Amino acid sequence: MLTSVDAERLFQDGLHKPRALVIGAGFGGLSGAVRLAVKGYDVTVLERLQAPGGRASVWKQDGFTFDLGPTVITVPHLFKDLWTLAGRRFEDDIDLRPIDPFYHIRFDDGETFIYSGDAEAMEREVERFSPSDVDGYRRFMRHSDALREIVFEQLGHVPFSHFTDMLKSAPDLIRFGGHLPVYTVASKFVKDPRIRAICSFHPMFIGGNPMSASSAYAMIPSLERKWGVHFPIGGTGKLVEGLVDLLQGLGGRVRCECDVDEILVENGTARGVRLADGEIMEADVVVSNADSATTYHDLLPSSVPRRWSKGKVSRSRYSMGVFVWYFGTSKRYENVGQHTKVMGQRYRGLLKDIFQRKVLADDFCLYLHRPTQIDPGLAPDGCDTFYVLSPTPNLSAGIDWTTKSEPYRQSIQKRLEETLMPDLGEHIVTSRIMTPEDFVDRYRAFNGAGFGLEPVLTQSAWFRPHNLSEGIKNLYLVGAGTHPGAGVPSVLSSARVLDQLVPDAAAHA
């Protein structure tokens, strides 16, 4: 790979500097852009919103700062690697703080499980809830460690461009139950329903149903324990700002309010894009950080043959939708941690309502984020910033969010008042919501799915849209909808895959 000095020398020596266009300025697009700039490309990122970030963008309202999307940062070395590639020190730009404990998981009976990265403390918590499950929990974590080594460390940055790539890893995945759902595998180790939920809830963070998501995702508890859970001071948006600064330092640029209408294809090769205003931009390489389903369904000409046809895209299974309520309070709720899961009376039944029956249930499994626990500067003095996410069916359910959104928000407020935040309604001073319909309008998310394709075995690895587009030369995909999947570490890994797929600029020139 070229260094930034090598790339500049290419330009100074008068060689043509190949041009790369990146569609979308989310974590996948920006990290991919940095990697391409280091390879020597002249990189432009095209973002349809007013500011970069994609799902990781930021709202500021009434003195409160809200991260719209990712709030859990794991595997920080994936960010640090990008700074190193650009010749910079991550620590000079980003103040990333570890969170401990990782989560507070409040069950409907009022008991709270303190979920941390400390193995002994976790075993004590399991013993407090279910003494007979301590040994099973230890075995589950050893199982999670083995999966992390295979799925993330060995395969997470490897392109699955050929079916043989899948076959090579199949024996290990089958041996560790990767063909089974996460909940099924967790249930082999522990028996208490609450401990089973604790061992299996993680796929919900990437849009998956623990009852059907591949147990490859049972690696996440090990991944968190090995590298921790973190939060950047200033909010997740600071990571976006840092990536943009890296790209600009390498000679790249980000153009906002540039909506790509079509990827231009000539003789089976991506040649550039046409913007919604009619502007044509030519390129040697096109990288789409748009939703993979939207890329194939809407951004490519209908006449271009591809494996992911419009019909295949429409027939595929998509992740859940999400209803997110962002609000600020005039007081601080010191009893609420940084990350809290508020479990309802049902676990399996609620998941069935969301993913199979596709109905908007009356009960919830809520994720509550309070960043002002570690960073009070995200709210005015004496105030708190919050974000609460409720998994819902995606738009294939036909829910009319124009009429349902406010009653649903009120129900969530009532639930929070009953559990963690008494008198909440008296202290709300600013508020905003996002529904699955907003995910279509803002992010062009197919079916309003919050995380792209559902992470089931038949839509993972080789079965997922490839990082190197099948049948279209010089078109690459990054982000949640391609390999290895959703979640910040996977999205950053999708950009890392480009290192193996995209030739250095000198070779391309």
Side-chain angles (χ1 to χ4, degrees):
M1 179 177 290
L2 298 176
T3 66
S4 56
V5 174
D6 293 330
E8 183 62 25
R9 189 177 297 119
L10 260 180
F11 181 76
Q12 291 175 352
D13 289 347
L15 295 176
H16 168 63
K17 199 172 184 182
R19 187 175 194 187
L21 293 177
V22 179
I23 304 169
F27 277 147
L30 290 173
S31 54
V34 168
R35 290 180 178 278
L36 291 178
V38 170
K39 279 178 169 285
Y41 287 85
D42 177 17
V43 183
T44 300
V45 181
L46 304 172
E47 172 55 54
R48 68 192 299 263
L49 300 177
Q50 294 179 334
R55 284 173 168 81
S57 53
V58 175
W59 271 334
K60 293 189 177 183
Q61 183 170 294
D62 301 325
F64 294 81
T65 298
F66 299 99
D67 285 317
L68 300 194
T71 58
V72 177
I73 302 300
T74 56
V75 201
H77 70 77
L78 292 176
F79 281 106
K80 294 177 181 179
D81 287 348
L82 294 165
W83 263 255
T84 300
L85 284 173
R88 301 256 292 270
R89 289 184 72 252
F90 179 82
E91 294 77 10
D92 291 340
D93 298 331
I94 305 294
D95 182 2
L96 191 67
R97 306 274 182 92
I99 303 298
D100 185 40
F102 296 166
Y103 315 106
H104 292 79
I105 303 175
R106 185 196 186 279
F107 289 95
D108 194 55
D109 61 5
E111 287 286 338
T112 298
F113 187 102
I114 309 301
Y115 192 113
S116 72
D118 184 315
E120 292 183 0
M122 284 291 286
E123 289 176 11
R124 288 195 297 271
E125 283 293 279
V126 171
E127 185 174 22
R128 186 166 66 87
F129 275 72
S130 177
S132 62
D133 277 328
V134 173
D135 182 64
Y137 175 74
R138 289 193 190 105
R139 289 186 288 112
F140 171 79
M141 286 305 302
R142 289 197 293 270
H143 182 86
S144 182
D145 289 341
L147 282 171
R148 186 236 325 138
E149 291 174 2
I150 296 169
V151 175
F152 187 78
E153 296 187 36
Q154 295 179 23
L155 302 176
H157 61 284
V158 176
F160 276 69
S161 301
H162 306 284
F163 188 65
T164 51
D165 299 328
M166 188 86 172
L167 292 179
K168 291 175 185 176
S169 60
D172 281 338
L173 291 177
I174 292 172
R175 179 161 55 96
F176 287 101
H179 59 294
L180 299 173
V182 173
Y183 188 83
T184 299
V185 169
S187 298
K188 292 177 181 291
F189 293 98
V190 296
K191 303 306 177 186
D192 187 285
R194 296 167 300 178
I195 307 303
R196 287 177 172 179
I198 285 164
C199 292
S200 66
F201 74 84
H202 288 88
M204 297 179 72
F205 281 167
I206 55 173
N209 179 358
M211 305 302 161
S212 58
S214 165
S215 70
Y217 296 102
M219 68 161 182
I220 299 177
S222 174
L223 182 147
E224 290 177 332
R225 180 174 290 183
K226 180 168 184 178
W227 288 298
V229 171
H230 304 79
F231 187 76
I233 298 302
T236 310
K238 287 296 181 183
L239 291 167
V240 174
E241 292 177 11
L243 289 171
V244 170
D245 190 52
L246 286 188
L247 178 61
Q248 291 173 340
L250 293 165
R253 63 203 65 81
V254 178
R255 286 182 54 182
C256 294
E257 298 184 279
C258 287
D259 195 1
V260 173
D261 189 57
E262 184 176 71
I263 297 170
L264 303 176
V265 179
E266 180 182 326
N267 297 324
T269 301
R271 297 296 188 188
V273 303
R274 183 178 67 246
L275 303 182
D277 63 6
E279 180 184 353
I280 301 292
M281 299 184 69
E282 297 181 350
D284 300 281
V285 166
V286 177
V287 177
S288 180
N289 183 214
D291 184 69
S292 62
T294 298
T295 298
Y296 283 114
H297 193 274
D298 298 331
L299 297 185
L300 287 168
S302 299
S303 58
V304 174
R306 64 264 196 186
R307 176 170 166 245
W308 284 84
S309 65
K310 288 192 175 187
K312 182 176 175 64
V313 167
S314 299
R315 291 190 301 269
S316 296
R317 293 170 58 174
Y318 290 88
S319 66
M320 66 192 182
V322 293
F323 180 98
V324 193
W325 176 30
Y326 309 89
F327 61 94
T329 59
S330 58
K331 63 171 282 187
R332 288 179 61 84
Y333 285 86
E334 301 292 1
N335 62 307
V336 178
Q338 178 99 359
H339 303 291
T340 304
K341 283 191 70 68
V342 183
M343 308 295 283
Q345 291 182 338
R346 303 182 303 153
Y347 183 56
R348 301 181 68 175
L350 178 60
L351 290 169
K352 186 174 183 179
D353 283 349
I354 293 169
F355 287 93
Q356 294 172 252
R357 297 182 63 223
K358 295 187 182 296
V359 297
L360 193 62
D362 294 328
D363 56 340
F364 314 96
C365 176
L366 302 175
Y367 162 62
L368 180 66
H369 176 49
R370 178 181 172 241
T372 36
Q373 182 198 37
I374 195 171
D375 188 359
L378 296 174
D381 288 345
C383 299
D384 262 338
T385 291
F386 289 96
Y387 142 150
V388 61
L389 182 152
S390 179
T392 69
N394 61 41
L395 291 184
S396 65
I399 297 167
D400 180 7
W401 284 106
T402 58
T403 60
K404 295 289 187 182
S405 60
E406 179 54 22
Y408 196 69
R409 186 206 65 78
Q410 291 175 6
S411 296
I412 291 174
Q413 178 181 322
K414 182 173 183 291
R415 177 65 174 162
L416 292 176
E417 289 174 334
E418 293 170 345
T419 54
L420 293 171
M421 306 172 72
D423 304 319
L424 172 60
E426 299 174 14
H427 298 285
I428 295 170
V429 292
T430 192
S431 176
R432 191 163 184 172
I433 61 172
M434 284 188 69
T435 73
E437 290 178 349
D438 293 308
F439 273 71
V440 174
D441 296 339
R442 186 174 175 84
Y443 307 126
R444 296 187 73 173
F446 199 83
N447 271 351
F451 305 85
L453 289 165
E454 186 180 350
V456 293
L457 181 62
T458 54
Q459 295 184 160
S460 299
W462 181 84
F463 297 110
R464 211 165 179 82
H466 297 175
N467 305 94
L468 171 60
S469 177
E470 306 100 308
I472 304 170
K473 189 178 179 183
N474 292 349
L475 174 62
Y476 303 87
L477 275 69
V478 296
T482 185
H483 173 70
V488 175
S490 293
V491 166
L492 295 178
S493 294
S494 74
R496 187 180 171 194
V497 173
L498 297 183
D499 289 351
Q500 301 176 60
L501 296 177
V502 183
D504 282 348
H508 203 294

